[in-house]
Amino acid sequence: MKVNFLIIGSAKSATTSVSNALAQHPDICFSQPKEPQFFSKIDWRNHINSYHALFKTKAKLYGEGSTNYTKFPSFNKSVHSDIHEYNPDMKLIYIMRNPIDRIISHYTHTYNRGYEKNKNIDNAIISQNHYIDVSKYATQITPYIKQFGKEQVLLLFFEDFIAHPQDVLDNVYRFLKVDQLDIDTSSLNSNKSFNRRVLHYKYDNPKTVWEKIKKIGLIIKNYFNSDFIDSKPQLSEATKKHIISNVSDDIKTIEKLANKDLSNWLKY
């Protein structure tokens, strides 16, 4: 087998919802878990059998949705060429979102999962390049277009998916050359950042009975955790300006690549 398509990002742009929809298609087998981050690892060539084992049923197409594949320069800096080495016919789906909204959601999720320690969102974004790097969409996707060709890359937009989910999914089905499937889009997991059930990453895979019991206790505790961010943080005007000044060139490039007016993304 070969994995045929990847949802490569962007993080916090409805990739989970699109993945869940595609997993319902009878011709598609989606990986378990959704984000194996396989090609983010330098030694991926030594673990291909383990990677293929994440696909539990036979299907026409196999796909996964690891958003770390568009978090350059973090993780594997050769991810574009490595994926091409694995399958030069790979199809790539890239979903983009208003950068300010994406960054707020990204920061909130990262903080609530325990990876981000700074509870001041303005300080966190100004002091770290990571949040803005992920929102430099042209910087992230251009190497894939050069490596695979534009015909193998599908550019989508979060706002379109929220407004017209079935239309966007139909576009994906055409891109993957599978039959259209009507989906109950209300059943899709939107993976919202403001969710008290999100736990610290260190409890992701409890191994002992005690760790499993402790995880259940933490789920309950999280409903009363005052340190948990459960509403949308507010960015200062200065931070918004900082974000836009850093991503404006990328936005203009995406406008040309996608033939889409994104001038509203340049407002803050």
Side-chain angles (χ1 to χ4, degrees):
M1 64 162 287
K2 283 281 186 183
V3 175
N4 311 100
F5 73 90
L6 303 173
I7 300 175
I8 56 175
S10 179
K12 312 313 294 179
S13 299
T15 59
T16 296
S17 294
V18 174
S19 298
N20 288 346
L22 293 179
Q24 296 179 35
H25 198 287
D27 289 338
I28 293 174
C29 175
F30 219 86
S31 67
Q32 299 177 26
K34 168 235 175 189
E35 297 197 44
Q37 316 294 4
F38 181 68
F39 295 103
S40 298
K41 302 160 189 171
I42 303 298
D43 65 342
W44 62 268
R45 296 171 185 83
N46 300 326
H47 305 283
I48 289 178
N49 288 340
S50 298
Y51 180 50
H52 289 168
L54 301 178
F55 301 86
K56 307 300 184 183
T57 59
K58 288 187 178 181
K60 178 180 177 181
L61 297 178
Y62 300 90
E64 55 115 323
S66 298
T67 59
N68 283 356
Y69 300 161
T70 49
K71 291 182 180 176
F72 184 85
S74 302
F75 307 105
N76 177 9
K77 292 182 174 62
S78 301
V79 65
H80 326 95
S81 56
D82 284 1
I83 292 172
H84 188 268
E85 176 188 330
Y86 168 80
N87 183 3
D89 296 320
M90 187 78 80
K91 291 192 172 185
L92 306 158
I93 300 167
Y94 188 50
I95 312 171
M96 294 163 280
R97 181 180 185 180
N98 179 302
I100 289 175
D101 292 339
R102 196 214 65 79
I103 287 173
I104 292 172
S105 182
H106 187 176
Y107 162 81
T108 303
H109 179 78
T110 304
Y111 182 87
N112 286 342
R113 289 277 285 142
Y115 296 106
E116 172 63 65
K117 305 301 181 185
N118 194 335
K119 199 171 183 180
N120 184 305
I121 186 171
D122 293 299
N123 290 344
I125 291 168
I126 296 297
S127 64
Q128 299 180 61
N129 295 329
H130 177 69
Y131 295 108
I132 291 176
D133 284 343
V134 178
S135 291
K136 291 182 176 180
Y137 302 133
T139 299
Q140 297 296 337
I141 199 60
T142 299
Y144 284 104
I145 292 173
K146 290 180 178 178
Q147 191 82 59
F148 290 88
K150 194 173 181 180
E151 68 281 356
Q152 286 178 227
V153 179
L154 179 64
L155 303 180
L156 301 176
F157 296 89
F158 173 90
E159 293 83 2
D160 292 340
F161 181 74
I162 296 302
H164 306 288
Q166 188 64 56
D167 291 346
V168 172
L169 292 174
D170 289 345
N171 191 13
V172 176
Y173 298 142
R174 287 191 292 270
F175 176 67
L176 297 177
K177 296 183 179 179
V178 294
D179 292 337
Q180 178 180 328
L181 179 69
D182 290 335
I183 297 290
D184 177 9
T185 53
S186 65
S187 68
L188 300 177
N189 174 19
S190 61
N191 199 23
K192 292 180 180 178
S193 299
F194 318 118
N195 186 336
R196 284 191 173 274
R197 290 168 292 179
V198 173
L199 285 179
H200 194 286
Y201 71 87
K202 67 182 179 180
Y203 298 107
D204 283 352
N205 298 298
K207 294 179 174 59
T208 66
V209 173
W210 168 242
E211 287 177 346
K212 292 176 181 178
I213 293 172
K214 190 174 182 181
K215 181 174 182 176
I216 293 171
L218 285 167
I219 291 172
I220 297 171
K221 181 181 177 182
N222 267 5
Y223 282 95
F224 306 97
N225 181 3
S226 60
D227 194 43
F228 199 94
I229 299 174
D230 60 358
S231 61
K232 185 177 180 179
Q234 298 300 310
L235 286 176
S236 69
E237 293 302 304
T239 301
K240 291 178 183 178
K241 183 177 181 180
H242 173 73
I243 292 170
I244 296 303
S245 67
N246 277 275
V247 302
S248 59
D249 288 345
D250 280 71
I251 291 173
K252 292 171 185 175
T253 300
I254 292 297
E255 283 187 314
K256 295 176 183 177
L257 284 173
N259 191 26
K260 187 177 180 70
D261 179 9
L262 299 172
S263 56
N264 61 313
W265 284 7
L266 294 168
K267 300 174 182 177
Y268 59 89

